[in-house]
Amino acid sequence: MCIAIPAEIISIQGVYADVDIMGVESKVYIGLIENPKEGNFVLIHAGCAIQKIDERYFYYLEDTFRAMLDGDD
């Protein structure tokens, strides 16, 4: 099973971007998505942005991950 995590693009440097993943900044490859921009919400898998997502889905996923990490039902 594979898992992708939601992130927001903070800044872009060529084919790499700094992203915010639940408050943690990370550098990821963005060459797999079309026309990435700062502020875009994306799914990250294995260090690569693999898909853009809308804001509503981003917050749904982030809330779901936070609940899992906190042990909430």
Side-chain angles (χ1 to χ4, degrees), residues 2 12 30 35 37 62 65 67 69:
C2 297
I12 297 175
I30 55 171
N35 197 23
K37 296 180 180 163
E62 188 175 66
F65 277 98
L69 291 171

Side-chain angles (χ1 to χ4, degrees), residues 17-55:
D18 291 322
V19 297
D20 180 323
I21 303 170
M22 295 174 57
V24 177
E25 204 169 300
S26 184
K27 185 175 290 282
V28 299
Y29 179 72
I30 55 171
L32 301 176
I33 59 173
E34 190 174 324
N35 197 23
K37 296 180 180 163
E38 292 176 10
N40 282 160
F41 298 105
V42 293
L43 290 178
I44 306 296
H45 174 69
C48 299
I50 59 171
Q51 180 180 344
K52 288 184 189 179
I53 58 175
D54 65 30
E55 184 176 12

Side-chain angles (χ1 to χ4, degrees), residues 5-18:
I5 54 175
E8 181 177 1
I9 296 176
I10 300 169
S11 64
I12 297 175
Q13 309 85 36
V15 294
Y16 290 92
D18 291 322

